[in-house]
Amino acid sequence: MSNQKIWLSSPHMGGTEQNYVNEAFESNWVAPLGPNVTGFEQDLEKFIGQDSHVGALSSGTAALHLGLITLDVKAGDEVICQSMTFSASANPIMYQGATPIFIDSEKETWNLCPVALEEAITDRIAKGKKPKAIIAVHLYGMPYKVDEVHAIAKKYEIPVLEDSAEALGSHYKKQKCGTFGEIGVLSFNGNKIITTSGGGAIVTKSKEAKDKIVFLSTQARDNAPHYQHSEVGYNYRMSNICAGIGRGQMEVLEDHVGLRRKMHDFYKDYFKDVEGVTVFSEPDSNYFSNHWLSAIVLDPSKTGGKTREDLRLALEQANIESRPLWKPMHLQPVFQNYPYYGKNVSEKLFDDGLCMPSGSNLTEDDKNRIRTVLNQFFNKKL
């Protein structure tokens, strides 16, 4: 295949990352921790605001796991989790020996449905098991219905673990995602809006909570001249090398958000007169998505029978990566026997939805190649 592959969402370096990494090598700070870790945490705290406290960790999954531990989730507890998400949102529930309770999406933000959420809470309480926590996700960078979800959480006194892995740079009513929950989670995986190669972070409302999580993430070593441990710990801290990449990436974060949003505008403009295709967009001006991934939904009854899988294969034939939306957790073999509340919103979105190439490093040539395939697929005149 002669054309270079266009990826769904590839890493995009800003140019200064190497400076921070070189500094770490030159000062021999190649072990975990170091000045880059501290600096990266401070950069994130300044960016997201709300007097937040950030701890840099090895992954977003590690942050979710430590978040559940901090919220005192134990074996036998139940944890509510958005069904339409990546499996990393749900897997840490299993790490703790708890039971996931999956909730359907609503049609506007594709996130946790407030109606199904309250139905699940009241039903679990009636069954004698009040959920211990709620994992709410900002899917593809789109803020969930913050006011509604948190009103329900407050009503039943259940803490929210805010999965903002895909939403760094997104905000709701001008407040940055990652700062709404009792604990927030960020991810810097290779395909995210910024990357540290692998990595994540925990966001807390107090320094005490951050310090406790950092303590657990560094093998829970007590303050002693020898290695002493009074609690079970984890090797979840971010390395100084990875944090150096993150420091350089923070310098281009807002540029990357702008470029991702321009890709979303590209699709909005293209599909505005294509019958049967809807571009996933903010419901109103309260929502600001980083549009980490731009997604579309095809209605085969209006596209002449053309499906999202037909389009995915057409793009693949041109060496362009696209991907179906997340398959809901309640449909996954590993989770299919756990409770689920809702209708079929997430299932329908999975059937008909497609994530399009969304990287901040896509060129005009890349856009032209994508446009050419779309023109051919939808029989659109140039």
Side-chain angles (χ1 to χ4, degrees), residues 170-358:
S170 300
H171 50 81
Y172 176 76
K173 293 184 176 179
K174 307 299 184 184
Q175 181 175 334
K176 292 289 199 318
C177 291
T179 64
F180 293 102
E182 184 70 22
I183 294 172
V185 168
L186 304 173
S187 173
F188 313 112
N189 190 34
N191 64 358
K192 293 300 189 293
I193 198 102
I194 64 168
T195 184
T196 58
S197 178
I202 199 89
V203 182
T204 66
K205 298 182 183 301
S206 72
K207 187 175 184 301
E208 292 73 20
K210 172 198 166 176
D211 289 345
K212 175 65 176 187
I213 289 169
V214 167
F215 168 75
L216 292 173
S217 75
T218 50
Q219 300 290 18
R221 290 182 294 175
D222 293 339
N223 186 16
H226 53 277
Y227 286 96
Q228 179 162 305
H229 308 271
S230 303
E231 298 181 56
V232 173
Y234 305 85
N235 186 17
Y236 281 170
R237 200 68 159 115
M238 181 179 284
S239 81
N240 198 52
I241 299 298
C242 289
I245 300 171
R247 295 216 67 188
Q249 288 273 280
M250 286 300 294
E251 295 179 10
V252 294
L253 170 56
E254 294 192 83
D255 290 339
H256 284 194
V257 172
L259 290 165
R260 297 262 178 170
R261 286 177 61 81
K262 283 185 178 179
M263 280 306 301
H264 174 262
D265 290 342
F266 166 81
Y267 293 117
K268 284 281 287 184
D269 181 66
Y270 182 88
F271 287 112
K272 64 186 178 185
D273 55 359
V274 175
E275 185 72 17
V277 179
T278 304
V279 179
F280 182 39
S281 301
E282 290 94 336
D284 58 52
S285 60
N286 288 324
Y287 296 81
F288 179 96
S289 174
N290 64 13
H291 290 299
W292 169 59
L293 291 184
S294 291
I296 61 174
V297 175
L298 283 73
D299 181 350
S301 70
K302 297 179 180 178
T303 60
K306 298 177 189 295
T307 67
R308 66 99 161 134
E309 185 61 8
D310 294 331
L311 178 54
R312 188 189 71 80
L313 292 172
L315 290 163
E316 183 177 77
Q317 188 67 29
N319 208 21
I320 299 171
E321 183 183 25
S322 63
R323 189 174 295 168
L325 304 189
W326 299 127
K327 183 176 182 179
M329 291 299 100
H330 72 278
L331 300 180
Q332 300 285 354
V334 68
F335 294 125
Q336 63 186 359
N337 294 324
Y338 290 99
Y340 165 73
Y341 293 81
K343 307 295 183 181
N344 64 346
V345 173
S346 58
E347 295 176 30
K348 183 66 174 170
L349 287 169
F350 171 64
D351 287 342
D352 296 335
L354 190 69
C355 293
M356 301 294 288
S358 305

Side-chain angles (χ1 to χ4, degrees), residues 45-57:
E45 289 169 355
K46 181 179 178 180
F47 179 79
I48 64 177
Q50 301 297 312
D51 295 321
S52 299
H53 298 267
V54 174
L57 301 172

